[in-house]
Amino acid sequence: MKNSALLALAAASFALALPASAQFAKPEDAVKYRQSAMFIQSQHFGRVAAMATGRVPYDAAAATANAELVAMISKLPWAGFGPGTEGGKAKPDIWKEQAKFKELNERLMAETEKLAAATKAGNLDAVKAAVSSVGETCKTCHDTFRSR
């Protein structure tokens, strides 16, 4: 039941995110949207990472719930990077290097799916490896496309 509810929420969120770029009244709304999505994603990822690094006790159910949310949320920010939405901490290179940016956002979505799968399997070593991969993907994108 819980999984089907999460899947329904993920599908609805993804469907709503696709046309979101056309719904932003102002460019700053797109900036707020993408920053909010990434903030929420980082909060849930941080919970799994804290378990993977031993800062908090490992709770398989909590790890899975948070990882599933990370995978779902990883699909959301990209609608906020449409044409004319420059600003925030995003470097102008995003709009100049669209292919590279798209490759990195697709990589993030794939790595977060692997993280969710690792938590469901319950193998802590696999979770640690997946957390590392997601973190490296985030770092690569931020180093390339985010101003400090």
Side-chain angles (χ1 to χ4, degrees), residues 20-21 39 50 54 58 63 80-82 89 98 104 112 118 122 125 127 135 137 144:
S21 61
F39 174 78
Y58 186 73
F81 288 100
K89 294 181 180 181
Q98 282 287 297
L104 287 171
T112 59
D125 288 333
V127 172
T137 302
T144 306

Side-chain angles (χ1 to χ4, degrees), residues 5-18:
L6 277 174
L7 288 175
L9 178 62
S13 296
F14 186 67
L16 291 173
L18 289 176

Side-chain angles (χ1 to χ4, degrees), residues 35-50 55 66 69-70 73-74 138 142:
Q35 288 176 338
S36 297
M38 288 193 183
F39 174 78
I40 293 168
Q41 179 177 254
S42 73
Q43 295 298 300
H44 289 283
F45 177 70
R47 293 171 186 166
V48 180
R55 290 185 310 226
N66 281 286
L69 286 169
V70 169
I73 296 166
S74 75
C138 292
H142 285 188

